[in-house]
Amino acid sequence: MEKIELNINGEDVTVEVERNWTLLYVLREILNLTGAKPGCNTGDCGACKVIIDGEAVNSCLVHAVRVQGKAIETVEGLSINGKLHPLQQAFIDCGAVQCGYCTPGMLMSAKALLDKNRTPSEDEIREAIGNNLCRCTGYYKIIEAIQRAAKMMGEVKVE
Ligand code: FES
Ligand code: FES
């Protein structure tokens, strides 16, 4: 076992991990943060997406030992004091959540985008969620939700 220190959703955390454990496994099974979802476990579906030092990353592909000292954001950190993040609210308002399995990963890809670019074009939104698969929504409502969230954050007009 190896001890690593992380900052998860603003809190410093120390955890002992095996070298072959993925970040997804550590989040879900050791830290009980089950928002990031296991889907393909091969980097193809985006259900396990978290933000590492500002970048949306598939946590199933990252060994936990590689994130020593890094800042991790998960879907559990999006709402603050019970108030939903604009992205969460917009996903609800736009009907962008159906079965919900893809939603945490979608939200984290969208947050990483809006943290860097508060006025994304539709193409930029499509690119940001290009590695996130959704079997339910057809993506239009998700794109609309991200546009709406950007507007709620005071940045862009939603047509
Ligand atoms: S479970 Fe990680 S990309 Fe599918
Ligand atoms: S809402 Fe079901 S997979 Fe996206």
Side-chain angles (χ1 to χ4, degrees):
M1 300 286 268
E2 200 164 315
K3 198 174 275 189
I4 60 169
E5 291 168 2
L6 314 169
N7 184 285
I8 300 184
N9 299 326
E11 254 184 59
D12 291 330
V13 173
T14 301
V15 60
E16 288 201 350
V17 302
E18 296 284 3
R19 289 197 69 80
N20 63 346
W21 286 357
T22 65
L23 176 59
L24 178 62
Y25 177 84
V26 170
L27 289 172
R28 290 181 58 84
E29 306 298 333
I30 309 299
L31 298 173
N32 207 25
L33 293 168
T34 56
K37 296 286 180 275
C40 62
N41 285 317
T42 53
D44 295 312
C45 75
C48 64
K49 202 83 81 175
V50 299
I51 298 176
I52 303 176
D53 284 351
E55 302 294 330
V57 174
N58 290 321
S59 60
C60 71
L61 293 185
V62 179
H63 283 126
V65 288
R66 300 293 298 275
V67 295
Q68 154 64 32
K70 295 191 185 291
I72 316 289
E73 294 171 63
T74 72
V75 72
E76 287 88 350
L78 279 186
S79 67
I80 295 177
N81 296 330
K83 183 168 167 40
L84 295 180
H85 187 282
L87 275 164
Q88 293 172 304
Q89 190 60 56
F91 269 58
I92 294 168
D93 294 344
C94 293
V97 182
Q98 290 188 25
C99 81
Y101 203 82
C102 71
T103 306
M106 286 286 183
L107 287 168
M108 300 320 286
S109 289
K111 181 173 190 290
L113 170 68
L114 295 188
D115 282 350
K116 287 189 202 143
N117 177 3
R118 293 291 174 88
T119 57
S121 65
E122 184 174 330
D123 282 350
E124 287 169 329
I125 292 172
R126 285 182 182 278
E127 191 179 330
I129 60 167
N131 178 237
N132 293 79
L133 299 185
C134 176
R135 291 177 181 239
C136 307
T137 64
Y139 300 99
Y140 290 106
K141 288 173 185 299
I142 290 171
I143 291 164
E144 191 187 326
I146 296 169
Q147 290 171 324
R148 180 184 288 245
K151 185 185 179 201
M152 287 162 78
M153 293 159 83
E155 309 297 339
V156 298
K157 289 190 185 141
V158 177
E159 305 297 340

